[in-house]
Amino acid sequence: MEAATRIRIEGHDILAAQTENPDVFNAPNFSLTKARWIRDDEVNICILCNNKFNQIRRKHHCRMCGQILCSKCCKEKIPLPQLGIAEPERVCESCRPVASLVTKSFSPMASFQLEATEGIAAMVNEPQGIKHVLELGGLQVLIQLSKQEDDQIWENIMKSLHTLSTYEQLHLLLAQSGGISAICSILCKLTETSKTQATIINGISALMVFCKSPHIKRKALEDGALKTVLALCVMSEPIALLALQTLSLIVEDQQTHYMIIEGDSKALSTILALTVCKDEQVQEVAMKLLANLSLGTDNHRQRIVQEDFTAGRCLVRAINNKPKNSQILVNVACLIGNLATTEESQVCMHNRKFSNPLGYTKLLAHS
C-alpha cells in the first residue's frame, strides 16, 4: 500500500504531513518530517499579507511550514515537539492554530490533550480546516491520543475520524496512518451509556464506510474490524443495526466466513439471536447476513442449522412471528433455500426439528 500524500478536496490541494513511521497507532510517538526551507531569494512578498519586503519589513521563516513571511504575520513563538524542537520558535499565523494544538497534544496534562482534540474536531468540519489539520500533524494527534483512557478525548477523536472518513480521497491515508486501528481500539474499550452512544455510532459508521471499499476492507480486517463489529452486535438496537450492516459488507468477502462461523467469538449465535429482535430492521439485516453466510461450504450450512437449533430455533420463531416487513420473509426464503441445497443438508435440517424446509420455502414464496 503506497503512501497517499497529495490529495485534493473541494478545490484544496493537500500535501499530508509525513512521519518517520507512517503507522502512528503502532508507534510510541510521532515526529513530523520538517518542511522544505524556502530560500530568501525565492520570494519578494509576504505570502499572507502580500506586502513587499524591504529594509524595514524583514523576512522571517515559519519553522512549521518553511515559508517566508513578514514579522507581523510570523511573530508568535511556540515549542514544536512534533518537529523535535523544545524551545519556542516562530510560527506563522496560518500554521499557528493547528500547530499550537499539536504542541498541546504532547503535554502529559489531560486538559491540554482534550483541548487539542476539541480544536481539531472543530476544524475538520470544513475543507480549509481539513487541509491545515492534515498538513500540520492533526491526524497524527487524533491517532496517537486514541491510546488515552478518556471518554471525552475519544468522543472528539471518533467525531473527527468519522468526518474525515466521508472523503473517499482520505481513505488510504487514514488506513495507512493507523486510523482504523485507532477506531477499533476505542470501540473495544467503550462501555455503552447514554454519554458514549454517539461516540460508538461515529466509530461504527466510519468502519462501515471503510468496509465499502474492497481495498480498504482488507486493511480494516487486518486491523481488527471483524472482532470489533461482532462485539457491537450485542449492544442496543441502533448500534447493533449499524454493526450488522457493517458485518454484511464484511461477509461479501467469503474468506471472512470461516472466521465468523468457525471462530471462537460466538458470532453465529449472536447473529441468530438478532433474527428474533423486536426491531424488524435489525431482523432484516440479520437474515440477509445469514443468507450470505449460507452461500459458503456445505459444512458452513450445516453449522448454521446446528447453531440455530442450539439457539432455540430462531429461524422458525422468526417466521412464526409473522413480521410486517416483507423483506424479512424474502431473506428467510433465500436462507432456507440455500440451507436446503443438498440432500445431506435437508436431512440435517429435518434432524434438527426444522421440519419440511422446502415447504417453508414454498410457503414464504406466497407470503
Side-chain angles (χ1 to χ4, degrees):
M1 211 182 264
E2 296 183 359
T5 54
R6 291 188 178 273
I7 304 161
R8 187 173 179 81
I9 292 179
E10 297 185 16
H12 295 274
D13 290 317
I14 300 172
L15 183 60
Q18 297 289 292
T19 57
E20 294 179 4
N21 183 351
D23 186 354
V24 177
F25 183 80
N26 289 306
N29 216 319
F30 71 89
S31 178
L32 300 180
T33 303
K34 293 181 179 179
R36 184 179 79 87
W37 199 261
I38 303 299
R39 298 196 313 271
D40 284 2
D41 60 2
E42 290 184 60
V43 295
N44 294 315
I45 63 172
C46 173
I47 61 169
L48 290 185
C49 66
N50 292 323
N51 284 319
K52 288 186 177 181
F53 294 115
N54 52 41
Q55 289 183 336
I56 299 175
R57 186 176 293 109
R58 308 297 294 274
K59 296 178 180 180
H60 298 276
H61 278 92
C62 170
R63 267 54 173 186
M64 195 69 225
C65 65
Q67 296 290 338
I68 295 177
L69 309 98
C70 68
S71 60
K72 181 181 177 181
C73 297
C74 191
K75 62 182 178 181
E76 298 290 337
K77 291 185 176 183
I78 60 174
L80 298 171
Q82 59 269 42
L83 296 177
I85 302 173
E87 296 299 319
E89 293 283 359
R90 284 185 184 266
V91 176
C92 72
E93 288 303 297
S94 178
C95 294
R96 183 178 56 80
V98 174
S100 61
L101 293 174
V102 176
T103 295
K104 288 179 179 179
S105 77
F106 278 77
S107 170
M109 295 179 62
S111 59
F112 281 173
Q113 295 174 354
L114 177 60
E115 185 180 346
T117 58
E118 284 177 342
I120 292 170
M123 288 183 179
V124 298
N125 287 322
E126 49 90 21
Q128 183 64 35
I130 291 175
K131 174 180 170 68
H132 289 311
V133 165
L134 295 184
E135 290 188 338
L136 300 172
L139 173 60
Q140 286 75 13
V141 168
L142 296 173
I143 295 169
Q144 187 65 227
L145 291 183
S146 69
K147 303 171 190 177
Q148 300 300 315
E149 302 283 335
D150 188 297
D151 286 356
Q152 287 183 291
I153 289 176
W154 286 344
E155 178 183 358
N156 294 323
I157 292 172
M158 288 298 214
K159 189 187 305 180
S160 301
L161 291 178
H162 179 219
T163 299
L164 293 173
S165 75
T166 61
Y167 294 90
E168 187 177 356
Q169 309 96 305
L170 300 181
H171 287 179
L172 185 56
L173 175 65
L174 291 169
Q176 290 172 331
S177 301
I180 298 174
S181 294
I183 291 171
C184 291
S185 173
I186 293 173
L187 287 174
C188 287
K189 295 175 183 175
L190 278 171
T191 300
E192 186 185 4
T193 66
S194 58
K195 292 183 178 180
T196 63
Q197 190 177 69
T199 303
I200 296 171
I201 288 175
N202 276 325
I204 188 63
S205 297
L207 282 184
M208 186 188 300
V209 172
F210 291 127
C211 288
K212 289 179 180 178
S213 166
H215 189 51
I216 303 299
K217 183 194 299 185
R218 192 170 298 111
K219 174 63 174 170
L221 291 172
E222 291 173 1
D223 290 348
L226 179 58
K227 179 181 178 181
T228 302
V229 171
L230 288 171
L232 296 177
C233 287
V234 298
M235 291 192 177
S236 64
E237 290 172 5
I239 294 173
L241 177 59
L242 288 171
L244 282 171
Q245 290 171 335
T246 305
L247 197 54
S248 293
L249 295 170
I250 291 174
V251 301
E252 289 174 359
D253 180 356
Q254 290 201 6
Q255 292 181 357
T256 64
H257 292 193
Y258 179 87
M259 292 183 281
I260 295 173
I261 295 176
E262 301 192 34
D264 297 328
S265 57
K266 297 183 179 180
L268 202 52
S269 59
T270 299
I271 298 168
L272 281 162
L274 290 170
T275 62
V276 290
C277 171
K278 291 181 180 180
D279 187 325
E280 291 197 351
Q281 195 173 4
V282 172
Q283 289 183 44
E284 177 189 336
V285 180
M287 287 297 186
K288 180 181 178 181
L289 182 54
L290 288 169
N292 284 334
L293 290 172
S294 67
L295 293 171
T297 65
D298 288 342
N299 180 56
H300 286 174
R301 282 188 280 271
Q302 291 176 26
R303 284 293 303 275
I304 293 173
V305 175
Q306 292 166 358
E307 194 67 46
D308 175 63
F309 178 76
T310 303
R313 301 174 69 206
C314 296
L315 301 182
V316 173
R317 286 161 57 197
I319 298 170
N320 291 337
N321 286 339
K322 298 180 179 179
K324 296 178 181 178
N325 183 349
S326 60
Q327 189 60 45
I328 295 175
L329 297 176
V330 172
N331 292 344
V332 173
C334 292
L335 172 59
I336 295 174
N338 292 341
L339 294 176
T341 51
T342 66
E343 183 177 350
E344 185 179 2
S345 61
Q346 290 175 32
V347 170
C348 180
M349 292 176 75
H350 178 74
N351 291 340
R352 294 297 176 179
K353 309 300 183 184
F354 204 115
S355 58
N356 195 8
L358 296 179
Y360 269 121
T361 304
K362 186 176 181 180
L363 173 64
L364 289 166
H366 291 88
S367 297

